Amino acid sequence: MEPSPVDNLPTRFVKNQTGTEGEAISWDAVKKLRIKQSSADNPIHLHEIEIYGCDGINYALPENGGTACQSSMHGSGDGYGPAEFVIDGRRNGPVNHTKHAANGWLEVELAAATAVESFAIFNMSDDEYDHRVRLNGHTVELLDESDQIVYQQQITMEEDGALFDRKKGCKQLWVNEDAKSVVANLSIEKGVLGHAKIIATQMSGTHIASISIDAEWPQFSANVCNSIAEESQIPAYNLRLLLPDGRLLRLHDDEEMPG
């Protein structure tokens, strides 16, 4: 498996935010990413927006069900203008462009509510008409199916310097610190007495764990995750285990922890 395409992006780790009654609000059911412009003088123009699930798939792409829309369009449609340009898969391609009007916004909507672990924004890098710095002061939000905000952050040059730094490509990845994941390949062999021998290795080939587990044991998936976590010292909820058939195994919150 090739390394994730987000590996080379400058990264900002952020934490889950809390609701009005203090409960943690997770990114487990994100439906939209919205960017709101700071003023009429600062329209939104971006090369690309990427939204990654726990499986490393960019669900913002049209082939994965993503769609984009915006409050207004400024441009000819040839090289700049339409919202669809931010999900065309080209990080340095054409840009969307909203009008110079108050309360402008850009939205990328996913086909279904998705457990999101990261998203990336690719800003313009030129200084003509202050293109590069117009993103300063915009607000980025993640929303659920009910349009409730589950994450909100004002973009600033102080906190998000990579978005304005040409040397870093004017791009940045936001990763939910509470959902940092480790993806590992699993090889599974049939053992003796109904046991399965499972070897887990990181994408780099580094060995993580070798376990033998009863294939008939109740909550087999949860026990695989927890057994590998115990040996590797990687928290079970951070593990993403890639099965030989391409499916991804993860520990869900509703799976009971043994012991």
Side-chain angles (χ1 to χ4, degrees):
M1 182 177 178
E2 292 297 319
S4 166
V6 301
D7 285 347
N8 63 345
L9 296 180
T11 300
R12 178 181 178 186
F13 289 102
V14 295
K15 286 186 173 292
N16 278 335
Q17 296 175 340
T18 55
T20 55
E21 297 183 8
E23 76 281 7
I25 303 175
S26 73
W27 298 9
D28 287 340
V30 172
K31 193 68 167 60
K32 293 179 184 176
L33 183 149
R34 177 187 295 155
I35 294 177
K36 298 190 297 188
Q37 65 191 63
S38 58
S39 70
D41 295 328
N42 292 313
I44 302 167
H45 38 61
L46 302 171
H47 284 297
E48 195 75 5
I49 292 175
E50 299 172 349
I51 305 173
Y52 288 91
C54 67
D55 48 12
I57 294 173
N58 177 12
Y59 284 99
L61 290 172
E63 54 262 42
N64 296 325
T67 57
C69 62
Q70 58 192 17
S71 56
S72 62
M73 190 185 89
H74 170 73
S76 63
D78 181 18
Y80 72 104
E84 290 77 12
F85 283 158
V86 302
I87 56 171
D88 64 3
R90 293 181 284 176
R91 292 176 168 181
N92 294 301
V95 298
N96 84 294
H97 204 309
T98 57
K99 290 183 178 180
H100 293 254
N103 303 316
W105 51 266
L106 167 71
E107 286 185 353
V108 175
E109 183 167 359
L110 307 182
T114 301
V116 166
E117 290 194 342
S118 64
F119 63 88
I121 295 175
F122 297 79
N123 188 19
M124 291 184 71
S125 60
D126 69 83
D127 286 327
E128 184 182 16
Y129 305 115
D130 293 326
H131 284 156
R132 184 166 54 103
V133 299
R134 282 177 173 173
L135 189 59
N136 186 44
H138 287 7
T139 300
V140 59
E141 299 173 341
L142 298 180
L143 301 99
D144 64 15
E145 289 184 291
S146 301
D147 264 359
Q148 297 299 305
I149 297 171
V150 300
Y151 178 75
Q152 184 180 64
Q153 183 70 53
Q154 186 177 51
I155 296 170
T156 67
M157 297 182 75
E158 292 76 19
E159 292 286 340
D160 306 295
L163 280 173
F164 307 92
D165 187 343
R166 283 201 194 93
K167 293 180 180 178
K168 296 183 178 179
C170 294
K171 56 192 177 183
Q172 181 171 284
L173 178 74
W174 280 257
V175 176
N176 183 351
E177 192 172 65
D178 299 321
K180 286 186 288 187
S181 61
V182 176
V183 181
N185 277 310
L186 293 190
S187 65
I188 304 174
E189 301 175 4
K190 188 175 181 180
V192 296
L193 301 176
H195 278 63
K197 182 180 179 182
I198 300 174
I199 298 174
T201 56
Q202 287 183 296
M203 294 297 134
S204 63
T206 303
H207 179 268
I208 294 178
S210 298
I211 64 171
S212 178
I213 192 167
D214 187 345
E216 301 299 324
W217 202 6
Q219 295 184 308
F220 176 75
S221 297
N223 285 310
V224 168
C225 287
N226 283 289
S227 296
I228 292 175
E230 184 176 356
E231 182 173 328
S232 67
Q233 297 301 299
I234 299 170
Y237 54 81
N238 283 346
L239 284 170
R240 304 294 182 262
L241 306 178
L242 188 63
L243 300 176
D245 63 4
R247 289 180 297 159
L248 203 75
L249 186 69
R250 66 176 295 198
L251 183 72
H252 291 281
D253 292 338
D254 58 357
E255 290 189 275
E256 187 176 323
M257 299 284 282

